[in-house]
Amino acid sequence: MIQVQARTDSSTLMQFASPIIAIALTLIFGSILFIILDKDPIQALHVLLIMPLSDAYNVGEMLVKMGPLLLCAVGLSLCYRANLWNIGAEGQLLAGALGGSAVGLLFVDSDSSLALPITLLAGIVSGMFWAALPTFLKIKFNSNLILTTIMFNYIALYLLVWAVHGPLRDPDGFGFPESAMFSDATLLPTLIESGRAHWGVVIAILAGIAAWVILSKTHLGFQIRVFGSDAPAAKYAGFSANKITWFVMLFAGALAGLAGVAEVIGPIGQLVPVVSPGYGYAAIIVAYLGRLHPIGAIAASIFLAVLYMGGDLAQIEMSIPTAVVGMFQGILLFFLLACDFFIRYRIILNKDANV
Amino acid sequence: MDIDLITQILFATIKTGTPLLLIALGEVICEKSGVLNLGQEGMMLMGAVVGFMSAFATGNLGLAVFAAMAMGALMSLIFGFLVLHLGANQVATGLALTIFGTGLSAFIGSGVIGETLQGFQPIIIPVLSDIPVIGKILFTHDLLVYISFVVAAALAFIANKTRLGLTLRAVGENPHAANAIGIKVLSIRYFAIMFGGAMAGLAGAYMSLSYTPMWVENMTSGRGWIALALVVFASWRIGNIMLGAYLFGLASIMHLVLQGMGWSISPNLLAMLPYVATVVVMVIISADQFKEKLLAPRSLGKPFDPRQMA
């Protein structure tokens, strides 16, 4: 008979195998779904997963999506390691886009070499500010971080929509809700001549490595890990909960803000009402799939970026609604959480029922 | 402001507060059993899309509401299995449910965007609706609003006056003690989670069949999250939830009030009000740490595994 038994130590093997099994199960589940929808599952999976990597243009577009996903996920990984449920990456990203645009638009007629760094800095600071608000409320008033960060996501969205319809709208734009185009001096340089892939993704990978160094090689990183796994022990050791909270939240806000400003001065080139297709939320899945490890997040962000790109292609090639991506993301996270059961438990088969 | 305008504002307050009331009533029962389900928004969206599509296909509003509630309950079962049987983290699983529901609802609803149908119509209750002012505010709504009144009253009674209510509280406060006296903790929690799912589905159906009879992606715009704040605001008490839902309803129609007073502010800025109000409320209620700890179900968010006795 089948029995479930708690493991004495959590399984390292399952820790790494779980994401792979979860991805496999998601693909099987997806195939069944496509059969039900009367779409060829082989072709659908080919379009979703292989085509995004099939030529230089598609790979470039995939990298465009990977940058913001990874930047947000690296920050979230640190927050979740510290057991702080920051769901606010989306709002911090939008704040970065808004703040960055407000400053970047000052350079519309300029070719100053300071335009780009100042605009980037404005985006980073805006993201940090947007993360600082719920952090302050948590530390000062003990308010629930999950709910406040979600609320700030909505507030950031409406602020951005208001700005793009109002003060930041292009005066020569025939009333369309769009800002003026940024000057060439403000735009992020592209990685290769053709395509839209820009330096954002390189910065994101460097940020991932930096976060890994902080987390595993520094005393601060040690404090974060202890605080996350056993808050009373951290308190006993004299670690400052407030300091750790401020650090991980501002770090996450800075990276998300950078992701936001890099979107508007990178692939988009102006401020528009829809800056992100939910990168900040998808980054939660990236963080989990990457095992809350900054290096794991790099691999996971490639998978989620491929899925985003595949969703766009699936709409063009097979007229499957792009919303299929969000559904796959949810299913993936479900399977991942289910597979994680086997990190803590094992199934044993007893031939002898008397044992 | 004249009395007609005030009547209109309060009437609209009830209408806007109803989806929050419905979903928060489901969530409070779930939380009383010790389970925190952050998947409200996803279940509500699924309820909205399934309700609308069923009504669109069959023309039968009753059937559509039933389908929406069944869908909400089905979604909550996935959550229940993961957190109750596999001991998955409740916060992460709830988030997964919201992400899944948001994606799935947009996916299956993509065919009915732009379609319209005849939603629930107001039922003027005779005699009661003739009471000056209050009659117009309370008794000229549609069926789902009346249902929300009845459910709120019934739940207040069940939670405070019956053995079932006591059992629910025991499971949420101390599952180990409840288990020791023979209460099936996981069964009660499954029941509470499914009730929460069905109510979220009903709230979604209200959105797509009554409030604005159509389907738009993400049409619940964060109401599932606001409801979670509402439960904390209400200190897990059902009477307070009713009050809170209408206060939040009022915050979302402030533009009507301000227009009535002759102000003109960008609708995009006014759209922030319910979210800002939620943050302000969260800050006020949680500043008193002692009170919140005292009032929250003690095992809220903590897994209970009957295989491992504490």
Side-chain angles (χ1 to χ4, degrees):
Chain A
M1 67 171 281
I2 299 169
Q3 271 193 328
V4 176
Q5 194 182 59
R7 294 178 195 267
T8 43
D9 292 312
S10 55
S11 159
T12 320
L13 175 69
M14 270 314 289
Q15 181 80 14
F16 291 104
S18 174
I20 295 164
I21 300 171
I23 288 175
L25 288 172
T26 306
L27 297 182
I28 294 169
F29 186 88
S31 307
I32 297 169
L33 188 87
F34 286 127
I35 293 170
I36 295 170
L37 291 171
D38 209 20
K39 307 270 182 195
D40 179 4
I42 306 287
Q43 191 201 351
L45 290 182
H46 177 80
V47 171
L48 273 175
L49 299 173
I50 310 294
M51 264 181 68
L53 301 169
S54 61
D55 63 40
Y57 173 80
N58 283 345
V59 170
E61 286 296 296
M62 189 276 286
L63 293 176
V64 166
K65 295 172 198 303
M66 179 184 160
L69 281 172
L70 180 54
L71 281 169
C72 293
V74 167
L76 293 182
S77 297
L78 254 57
C79 291
Y80 298 165
R81 274 297 178 97
N83 211 13
L84 289 165
W85 291 98
N86 171 12
I87 319 292
E90 182 78 4
Q92 291 146 24
L93 182 149
L94 296 175
L98 178 57
S101 297
V103 171
L105 287 170
L106 301 174
F107 296 100
V108 163
D109 300 314
S110 154
D111 54 1
S112 162
S113 58
L114 288 175
L116 176 60
I118 289 178
T119 305
L120 278 177
L121 192 66
I124 292 170
V125 171
S126 305
M128 288 170 86
F129 173 69
W130 213 248
L133 295 172
T135 312
F136 172 76
L137 297 180
K138 170 162 179 64
I139 287 176
K140 185 83 181 153
F141 300 105
N142 184 41
S143 56
N144 182 316
L145 192 66
I146 300 172
L147 292 176
T148 48
T149 48
I150 293 257
M151 292 303 133
F152 278 107
N153 288 348
Y154 285 100
I155 296 169
L157 178 64
Y158 286 108
L159 259 186
L160 188 147
V161 172
W162 165 76
V164 85
H165 280 91
L168 297 184
R169 186 168 62 190
D170 183 1
D172 308 322
F174 306 104
F176 282 107
E178 291 171 351
S179 77
M181 298 298 288
F182 294 109
S183 69
D184 285 348
T186 317
L187 292 180
L188 263 184
T190 50
L191 275 177
I192 35 173
E193 282 294 306
S194 62
R196 302 194 302 165
H198 56 83
W199 280 89
V201 68
V202 178
I203 300 172
I205 292 171
L206 293 176
I209 295 168
W212 170 66
V213 171
I214 292 171
L215 199 58
S216 56
K217 308 285 178 207
T218 68
H219 185 55
L220 182 63
F222 176 69
Q223 292 186 9
I224 292 172
R225 284 181 284 141
V226 173
F227 179 65
S229 52
D230 193 346
K235 194 178 172 192
Y236 185 70
F239 301 164
S240 160
N242 288 359
K243 195 181 98 182
I244 296 167
T245 305
W246 274 115
F247 174 78
V248 293
M249 288 297 292
L250 290 181
F251 186 77
L255 292 185
L258 175 62
V261 67
E263 280 300 289
V264 289
I265 62 169
I268 304 176
Q270 65 187 137
L271 185 65
V272 291
V274 181
V275 172
S276 153
Y279 288 137
Y281 296 112
I284 299 168
I285 302 169
V286 173
Y288 257 90
L289 198 62
R291 311 277 76 183
L292 306 187
H293 191 296
I295 303 297
I298 297 176
S301 67
I302 295 176
F303 181 73
L304 268 280
V306 165
L307 200 56
Y308 264 116
M309 185 64 204
D312 289 352
L313 293 169
Q315 181 158 44
I316 300 164
E317 300 277 327
M318 303 179 68
S319 58
I320 295 171
T322 37
V324 73
V325 174
M327 187 185 59
F328 266 84
Q329 288 173 351
I331 294 171
L332 177 61
L333 191 47
F334 276 140
F335 278 127
L336 187 65
L337 292 165
C339 291
D340 283 354
F341 175 74
F342 296 103
I343 295 175
R344 285 166 292 121
Y345 293 91
R346 66 172 142 223
I347 299 234
I348 45 173
L349 295 166
N350 270 349
K351 289 209 177 93
D352 186 354
N354 294 326
V355 174
Chain B
M1 277 198 287
D2 58 26
I3 190 79
D4 272 355
L5 183 63
I6 293 174
T7 310
Q8 263 180 35
I9 288 170
L10 291 179
F11 174 80
T13 297
I14 303 267
K15 226 171 135 46
T16 328
T18 297
L20 294 171
L21 175 61
L22 288 170
I23 195 163
L25 285 175
E27 173 63 13
V28 75
I29 295 298
C30 188
E31 289 193 19
K32 270 179 182 287
S33 83
V35 180
L36 177 69
N37 185 352
L38 297 185
Q40 305 297 327
E41 183 80 359
M43 298 189 295
M44 193 178 178
L45 279 167
M46 283 303 291
V49 74
V50 167
F52 184 83
M53 288 175 78
S54 313
F56 189 69
T58 65
N60 185 336
L61 290 177
L63 184 76
V65 168
F66 179 78
M69 292 177 74
M71 192 63 208
L74 189 69
M75 295 274 292
S76 71
L77 265 185
I78 309 175
F79 172 86
F81 177 72
L82 281 167
V83 301
L84 296 182
H85 273 102
L86 301 187
N89 181 307
Q90 293 184 8
V91 171
T93 313
L95 280 172
L97 191 62
T98 285
I99 293 172
F100 176 64
T102 310
L104 184 60
S105 62
F107 182 65
I108 62 176
S110 57
V112 290
I113 289 178
E115 305 285 359
T116 50
L117 54 76
Q118 172 99 337
F120 280 95
Q121 297 303 308
I123 302 168
I124 316 281
I125 297 184
V127 187
L128 287 175
S129 62
D130 294 334
I131 305 169
V133 188
I134 294 179
K136 168 85 175 71
I137 295 169
L138 291 180
F139 300 113
T140 58
H141 288 279
D142 62 50
L143 183 64
L144 295 183
V145 176
Y146 299 133
I147 288 179
S148 76
F149 295 162
V150 174
V151 173
L155 283 184
F157 177 76
I158 292 171
N160 298 322
K161 303 283 179 205
T162 67
R163 179 170 280 273
L164 181 63
L166 208 58
T167 308
L168 189 69
R169 220 177 319 159
V171 167
E173 292 293 335
N174 192 336
H176 295 288
N179 185 54
I181 60 166
I183 296 174
K184 292 200 163 47
V185 171
L186 293 189
S187 306
I188 296 284
R189 286 192 169 174
Y190 259 119
F191 174 75
I193 289 171
M194 281 179 69
F195 179 77
M199 289 302 287
L202 178 59
Y206 177 80
M207 291 302 295
S208 66
L209 296 175
S210 164
Y211 194 70
T212 46
M214 56 174 163
W215 164 251
V216 185
E217 271 182 35
N218 277 320
M219 69 183 295
T220 55
S221 48
R223 285 182 173 80
W225 293 107
I226 292 178
L228 283 156
L230 188 53
V231 172
V232 185
F233 167 76
S235 315
W236 292 267
R237 292 208 181 104
I238 286 159
N240 292 352
I241 284 188
M242 222 167 166
L243 178 72
Y246 297 137
L247 277 178
F248 277 91
L250 184 62
S252 359
I253 53 151
M254 276 312 275
H255 60 278
L256 268 181
V257 181
L258 293 174
Q259 268 168 13
M261 291 160 67
W263 291 30
S264 78
I265 299 178
S266 152
N268 286 315
L269 287 181
L270 286 173
M272 286 178 210
L273 264 175
Y275 311 106
V276 175
T278 306
V279 171
V280 171
V281 162
M282 293 293 301
V283 168
I284 293 171
I285 46 178
S286 45
D288 189 351
Q289 287 199 33
F290 177 71
K291 196 174 151 208
E292 195 182 327
K293 271 199 185 125
L294 200 70
L295 293 169
R298 220 161 14 126
S299 74
L300 185 62
K302 296 191 189 108
F304 172 74
D305 185 351
R307 286 177 294 241
Q308 292 171 324
M309 287 305 299

